[in-house]
Amino acid sequence: AQSVTQLDSHVSVSEGTPVLLRCNYSSSYSPSLFWYVQHPNKGLQLLLKYTSAATLVKGINGFEAEFKKSETSFHLTKPSAHMSDAAEYFCVVSDRNFNKFYFGSGTKLNVKP
Amino acid sequence: DAGITQSPRHKVTETGTPVTLRCHQTENHRYMYWYRQDPGHGLRLIHYSYGVKDTDKGEVSDGYSVSRSKTEDFLLTLESATSSQTSVYFCAISAGTGPFQETQYFGPGTRLLVL
């Protein structure tokens, strides 16, 4: 069975400092993994996805994530936070057999000036 | 933008009344989904569809039913609304075919308040 654990429910960083949002997954086979962002009172936007090509995936707005099979992790990083990055971020794993997707509980990122 | 619209965008209703939410897509994707979003729970799957008249339950399906009579429309019905169904509801489609190509795209959401 597939599942996702987002290790931090809230992360707070200062503007200009690095961002690290942690995600661990469980999957019975090689998964597809995704990060989505949701700004307040908005819908979900795809940031990036891993689909078995390069293990380091680059997404929009300077975000990237690294797939580490040995650690079953897919952490999201950004070198320098902007105020506009304040949002909630969701890590997602897919079950390709049934085209179903499993969400983590989310990490709220706060960016301080 | 995957051409997904939801209606209504906001709704207030009373306990015990039926409510239907509509999701419409313009790109003929096979898979469609209904989720609810509540604080601390992320998104939880209510029902999904893998084709016209083909649907299956998700993890929180009690109290909800769905129908898909056309590729482009996926309806979610709360048979008798309860306060616990106050939530934000998102529709999604899965685009892409072939191994590792599936990707979800979401509609703008419907805010439902059950009094």
Side-chain angles (χ1 to χ4, degrees), chain A residues 24-73:
Chain A
N24 286 113
Y25 70 90
S26 172
S27 178
S28 49
Y29 46 79
S30 188
S32 292
L33 292 157
F34 309 81
W35 277 99
Y36 287 84
V37 60
Q38 184 181 32
H39 288 91
N41 299 313
K42 300 292 185 184
L44 283 86
Q45 180 184 18
L46 179 67
L47 267 182
L48 51 81
K49 65 178 181 179
Y50 165 76
T51 56
S52 84
T55 56
L56 183 62
V57 181
K58 294 187 183 298
I60 61 172
N61 301 332
F63 284 94
E64 61 182 37
E66 186 172 7
F67 174 72
K68 292 187 176 180
K69 185 174 181 179
S70 60
E71 299 177 9
T72 61
S73 69

Side-chain angles (χ1 to χ4, degrees), chain A residues 100-101 103, chain B residues 6 21 32-38 42-49 55-67 74-79 84-92 104 110 112:
Chain A
K100 292 172 73 173
F101 299 78
F103 281 72
Chain B
Q6 293 183 228
L21 309 182
M32 298 184 75
Y33 309 78
W34 277 108
Y35 292 89
R36 60 178 289 172
Q37 183 178 26
D38 305 288
L43 271 72
R44 293 180 292 175
L45 181 66
I46 305 171
H47 283 278
Y48 73 107
S49 171
T55 64
D56 203 354
K57 296 179 180 180
E59 61 181 308
V60 291
S61 60
D62 287 349
Y64 301 95
S65 62
V66 290
S67 66
F74 191 33
L75 303 181
L76 176 70
T77 297
L78 287 65
E79 292 141 7
S84 65
Q85 293 176 310
T86 292
S87 187
V88 181
Y89 292 85
F90 286 99
C91 175
Q104 273 193 324
T110 295
L112 177 66

Side-chain angles (χ1 to χ4, degrees), chain A residues 1-108:
Chain A
Q2 280 61 246
S3 68
V4 170
T5 301
Q6 292 185 242
L7 298 166
D8 306 291
S9 59
H10 292 80
V11 169
S12 185
V13 301
S14 297
E15 192 173 22
T17 64
V19 176
L20 170 64
L21 305 183
R22 299 183 294 166
C23 172
N24 286 113
Y25 70 90
S26 172
S27 178
S28 49
Y29 46 79
S30 188
S32 292
L33 292 157
F34 309 81
W35 277 99
Y36 287 84
V37 60
Q38 184 181 32
H39 288 91
N41 299 313
K42 300 292 185 184
L44 283 86
Q45 180 184 18
L46 179 67
L47 267 182
L48 51 81
K49 65 178 181 179
Y50 165 76
T51 56
S52 84
T55 56
L56 183 62
V57 181
K58 294 187 183 298
I60 61 172
N61 301 332
F63 284 94
E64 61 182 37
E66 186 172 7
F67 174 72
K68 292 187 176 180
K69 185 174 181 179
S70 60
E71 299 177 9
T72 61
S73 69
F74 190 58
H75 301 335
L76 182 69
T77 61
K78 183 174 181 178
S80 177
H82 295 163
M83 295 298 293
S84 60
D85 295 328
E88 190 161 21
Y89 292 80
F90 293 96
C91 183
V92 181
V93 64
S94 72
D95 177 343
R96 295 192 306 280
N97 287 340
F98 297 97
N99 227 286
K100 292 172 73 173
F101 299 78
Y102 299 87
F103 281 72
S105 55
T107 298
K108 288 188 176 178

